[in-house]
């Protein structure tokens, strides 16, 4: 049995679908009321912050996959206090492995959200030597979300001297499930972390050009948005300009490109 935490979110739902496609039994932790779907996925209520329901959620579970998120300062406790509660429940229930979805070089940026994710990684890695952290570059959806609102005013903010290596959520899900099932990771292997990145590195300006062209081709807009250079200040801007959001060649996935994802959308 696999338990997916954050299994109703964008990344989590893809991970659930990947597990189901491989014939795995899947349980999803949710804060709301859900009933089992036709594919056999079961839902259990629980709360990472209070710990309520975590014992029931982790009972008879072999592997936990955590795709939870908390980007606002108020919700970041889900990543820290929530991870501590989840690891305690895993230990008490005898869960053999927990896999965490995280961000490339998250421990090299002082942004509050990144600090919380880095602490989440630490809690996972120290709780059980069999646990695995999967660090990923930004999802294709990240850029779409960033541009959807300003594009209505025919403006696209473009970070100066910044490139991205966006990755498709289906490729992320496959890598996470592979890590969950791998015998070459975790205790005894000396490897508790893997890194994955999208198939191509493109400047943010080029990504904006592709995004605008795709929207015009699909009839979503008749006007070309104006790209506006934006200098991202502080340590996060320095992190991006240094290319620390990118991965080396041996971590590149041969998956869906940003352009291919746009054509699907």
């Amino acid at each position: 049995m696999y338990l997916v935490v954050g299994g109703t979110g964008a990344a989590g739902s893809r991970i659930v679908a990947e597990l189901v496609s491989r014939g795995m039994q899947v349980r999803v932790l949710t804060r709301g009321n859900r009933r089992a779907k036709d594919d056999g996925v079961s839902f259990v209520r629980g709360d990472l912050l209070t710990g309520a329901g975590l014992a029931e959620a982790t009972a008879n579970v072999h592997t936990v996959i955590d795709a939870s998120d908390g980007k606002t300062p108020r919700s970041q406790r889900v990543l820290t206090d929530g991870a501590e509660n989840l690891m305690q429940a895993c230990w008490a229930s005898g869960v053999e492995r927990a896999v965490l979805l995280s961000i490339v070089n998250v421990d090299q940026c002082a942004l509050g959200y990144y600090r919380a994710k880095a602490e989440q990684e630490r809690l996972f890695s120290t709780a059980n030597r069999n646990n695995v952290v999967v660090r990923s570059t930004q999802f294709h959806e990240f850029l779409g979300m960033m541009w959807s609102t300003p594009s209505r005013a025919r403006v696209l903010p473009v970070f100066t001297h910044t490139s991205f290596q966006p990755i498709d959520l289906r490729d992320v899900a496959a890598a996470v499930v592979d890590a969950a099932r791998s015998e070459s990771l975790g205790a005894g292997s000396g490897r508790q972390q893997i890194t994955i990145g999208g198939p191509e590195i493109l400047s943010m300006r080029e990504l904006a050009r592709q995004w605008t062209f795709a929207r015009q081709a699909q009839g979503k807009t008749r006007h070309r948005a104006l790209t506006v250079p934006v200098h991202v200040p502080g340590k996060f801007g320095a992190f991006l300009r240094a290319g620390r959001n990118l991965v080396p060649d041996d971590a590149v996935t041969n998956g869906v490109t940003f352009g291919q994802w746009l054509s699907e959308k």
Side-chain angles (χ1 to χ4, degrees):
M1 172 71 75
Y2 288 78
L3 173 68
V4 181
V5 180
T8 58
S13 60
R14 287 291 188 182
I15 292 169
V16 169
E18 180 69 19
L19 286 166
V20 170
S21 72
R22 300 193 194 190
M24 302 296 108
Q25 285 186 302
V26 184
R27 181 185 296 164
V28 174
L29 180 71
T30 176
R31 287 187 297 173
N33 290 315
R34 294 281 187 120
R35 290 185 296 178
K37 299 190 292 185
D38 292 340
D39 55 19
V41 175
S42 61
F43 292 84
V44 60
R45 290 189 66 179
D47 191 311
L48 289 174
L49 285 179
T50 65
L54 295 186
E56 294 80 2
T58 54
N60 302 314
V61 166
H62 175 276
T63 302
V64 169
I65 297 175
D66 190 348
S68 61
D69 204 2
K71 288 187 172 63
T72 65
R74 187 171 184 177
S75 64
Q76 283 167 13
R77 286 182 55 217
V78 170
L79 308 178
T80 53
D81 296 348
E84 190 166 3
N85 290 334
L86 181 60
M87 290 300 96
Q88 289 177 356
C90 287
W91 178 82
S93 297
V95 173
E96 295 187 21
R97 168 175 285 177
V99 179
L100 173 66
L101 178 57
S102 190
I103 306 168
V104 167
N105 291 329
V106 72
D107 55 342
Q108 297 183 29
C109 182
L111 191 70
Y113 171 60
Y114 276 47
R115 288 200 305 268
K117 287 293 293 183
E119 174 62 9
Q120 186 186 31
E121 285 190 355
R122 186 191 69 80
L123 290 166
F124 267 70
S125 297
T126 57
N128 184 341
R129 289 195 307 119
N130 205 35
N131 290 352
V132 178
V133 173
V134 178
R135 287 181 165 185
S136 170
T137 55
Q138 280 75 25
F139 311 146
H140 294 318
E141 284 80 358
F142 169 79
L143 295 164
M145 179 180 63
M146 181 183 297
W147 287 325
S148 61
T149 299
S151 68
R152 296 170 188 166
R154 292 159 57 179
V155 171
L156 291 185
V158 173
F159 301 162
T160 55
H161 307 295
T162 298
S163 294
F164 285 97
Q165 194 172 359
I167 188 170
D168 192 84
L169 281 174
R170 289 162 292 188
D171 298 323
V172 172
V176 167
V177 175
D178 285 346
R181 296 171 56 81
S182 175
E183 296 181 359
S184 62
L185 296 171
S189 70
R191 294 181 63 208
Q192 281 188 283
Q193 179 180 299
I194 63 171
T195 301
I196 57 172
E200 54 186 3
I201 297 173
L202 297 170
S203 69
M204 197 172 183
R205 181 175 292 277
E206 170 58 20
L207 290 164
R209 187 195 68 79
Q210 290 189 20
W211 192 82
T212 301
F213 178 80
R215 286 179 63 84
Q216 289 177 321
Q218 294 161 6
K220 294 181 180 179
T221 180
R222 293 164 45 195
H223 307 286
R224 185 176 181 85
L226 176 67
T227 56
V228 177
V230 175
H231 176 79
V232 182
K235 293 182 178 179
F236 183 58
F239 175 87
L240 293 175
R241 288 187 291 275
R244 292 176 186 160
N245 59 323
L246 311 176
V247 302
D249 291 343
D250 60 357
V252 173
T253 60
N254 184 24
V256 179
T257 67
F258 186 64
Q260 291 168 337
W261 176 78
L262 285 171
S263 68
E264 292 179 3
K265 296 295 180 181

